[in-house]
Amino acid sequence: MGLKILPASQFTTEELTDFYNQTRVDYLIPMPMSEAVMAEYIHDFDINLELSPIIKDEETDEFLGLSMLGVRGDSTWITRLGITPASRRRGAAAAAMNAVFDASIKIGAKKTILEVIKDNTPAHTLFEKNGFKKTKELLVLRRAPIRPPLSPEGEITWLYRKDALAALRSHPNKLTWVNALESMENASMFQGFRIKLKDGTQGWLVYRHKKQTITHFEFHTERGNPVKMARNILLFLHFQYYRMDAYAENFYADDPHLPAFFDLGYFEAFRRVEMIKEYS
Ligand SMILES: CC(C)(COP(=O)(O)OP(=O)(O)OC[C@H]1O[C@@H](n2cnc3c(N)ncnc32)[C@H](O)[C@@H]1OP(=O)(O)O)[C@@H](O)C(=O)NCCC(=O)NCCS
């Protein structure tokens, strides 16, 4: 099939939203996007539309698929990759991959990162075939809006923008693209708080809250017991926002705070696999 590749920058956000939704009608986990969410996504996650390919049929100009490419420092990030159901298995995704690899190499990137839902065999096979190696598994957790059963212990201090960013800067681990410092710096609305318990345990949480959902959690225990820190900070969070749903993405499977999440009614919605391709 003859394909042509156009930069996403040639299209409006409305067109890009429509393109993306066309590729996800049969997706494993339904994730339709509105135009406003797409605009926020492009902005917050540093998507470079010049380098993001739109794949069309060369003859008919029919839309076949797309990929988006985030760019930060010496890394690029593949996201929103999708081909319309009727156009699959004809090399459109392979063409999109080649376009983002060429773009990444051209701008001097050392690696490209992505996350794929664990049981998405077609995408997983595509990425392995294109040189991506699995690094870690990431959990996506959800919690229904229910009032917590206990009151939190400890002394709480709220963290507004400047202090929340300072806390994130102090995080000792590498954070995934969606939760990274850059994503928070780009975001319009986030905050957090710090907790100090009597036994000396202390730490912080930074999160975003949007309409009915609390999202983008980042945690760190600076001293003491991580489960105790997370349990009390989550109790405080869910007392504040007891009518809100919680969506906590990209926790590494060995995150020491996880038991506290499960104790407080979070469940694993699905898993992602982080994959990286290095350029030599
Ligand atoms: C995954 C997806 C992007 C593949 O697109 P595609 O255009 O059909 O892929 P291509 O035709 O370019 O295939 C390239 C290679 O990927 C692998 N692949 C693609 N579809 C596959 C499938 N259904 N089963 C196993 N391997 C598959 C194969 O290795 C294939 O090479 P081959 O055809 O020589 O065997 C497409 O199925 C899709 O859009 N799925 C829904 C959205 C999605 O999962 N996006 C990825 C999110 S991370």
Side-chain angles (χ1 to χ4, degrees), residues 23-24 26-27 81-83 87-95 115-116 120-123 125-127 129:
T23 69
R24 297 290 163 129
D26 59 348
Y27 200 43
L81 170 70
I83 307 300
S87 322
R88 292 184 190 151
R89 295 316 291 262
R90 296 187 216 160
E115 293 118 34
V116 53
N120 187 347
T121 308
T125 313
L126 168 78
F127 298 140
K129 192 174 172 183

Side-chain angles (χ1 to χ4, degrees), residues 1 3 20 22-28 64-66 78-85 87-97 114-117 120-130 273:
M1 183 169 58
L3 304 173
Y20 168 76
Q22 282 182 50
T23 69
R24 297 290 163 129
V25 285
D26 59 348
Y27 200 43
L28 234 56
L64 306 178
L66 81 165
I78 292 178
T79 185
R80 310 288 97 171
L81 170 70
I83 307 300
T84 59
S87 322
R88 292 184 190 151
R89 295 316 291 262
R90 296 187 216 160
M97 295 268 95
L114 58 83
E115 293 118 34
V116 53
I117 291 175
N120 187 347
T121 308
H124 207 272
T125 313
L126 168 78
F127 298 140
E128 276 190 332
K129 192 174 172 183
N130 279 280
V273 176

